[in-house]
Amino acid sequence: MKRHLHLIALGLFVLSLLYDIVVWGALPQLPGVGAAIVDSAHREAPLATTYIELGRGLDGALAPLQAFGERRLTDAFGEGFARIGEDPTVAMDLIFNTTWNVQHRWIKTMYWAAPLLLLVTLLLWLRRPRQVRSFGRR
């Protein structure tokens, strides 16, 4: 099991990255405040901008992924839409400094999970057990 931990961490990293790309990639098409959040992300959040840019093409190509992302974002950020509409420049501050509901907390957790799991994967890969050979191959 210990020799496969880096593969498990890699799988979790890929899943969290795909989730982030699908959800954040749906943001530009979100009715109402989507453009304001994207503009705020471009100014203040390079990681969110990366997720948005990577996911834009994927969500554009597959409509069910776009719909899934929009539903998740609406459920998570819905309570803050009015405040974001009033002052779009503080959109990223509102998204990351407050927690409106469970879905919002999940999106924030997954946002930070991908870089953290990448680091864990790299550390586990560097520390993976290797086969020790005392004699050369014959």
Side-chain angles (χ1 to χ4, degrees):
M1 173 82 176
K2 188 174 182 180
R3 63 184 170 159
H4 297 294
L5 285 177
H6 66 284
L7 295 175
I8 294 169
L10 179 64
L12 291 173
F13 163 70
V14 168
L15 288 175
S16 67
L17 183 64
L18 284 174
Y19 178 84
D20 286 331
I21 288 172
V22 168
V23 171
W24 287 90
L27 198 55
Q29 301 301 321
L30 192 66
V33 296
I37 297 173
V38 170
D39 289 340
S40 181
H42 284 304
R43 283 191 309 274
E44 302 174 32
L47 185 59
T49 301
T50 304
Y51 292 151
I52 290 167
E53 294 303 320
L54 290 174
R56 188 180 298 213
L58 182 64
D59 286 350
L62 299 169
L65 294 179
Q66 176 73 30
F68 172 78
E70 285 180 10
R71 274 194 318 273
R72 296 297 293 178
L73 290 170
T74 303
D75 292 345
F77 301 158
E79 294 177 31
F81 281 173
R83 178 74 198 278
I84 292 170
E86 291 172 11
D87 189 8
T89 59
V90 299
M92 293 311 286
D93 291 332
L94 287 173
I95 289 171
F96 287 112
N97 289 335
T98 59
T99 301
W100 294 304
N101 52 40
V102 175
Q103 291 88 3
H104 187 213
R105 181 166 304 174
W106 181 251
I107 287 179
K108 289 188 337 184
T109 300
M110 292 301 283
Y111 177 87
W112 293 112
L116 182 64
L117 284 169
L118 178 62
L119 180 64
V120 168
T121 300
L122 290 174
L123 289 174
L124 288 172
W125 182 77
L126 289 172
R127 298 186 45 86
R128 74 189 185 283
R130 293 174 183 87
Q131 185 175 7
V132 177
R133 297 173 195 225
S134 57
F135 299 105
R137 291 186 175 173
R138 292 184 177 195

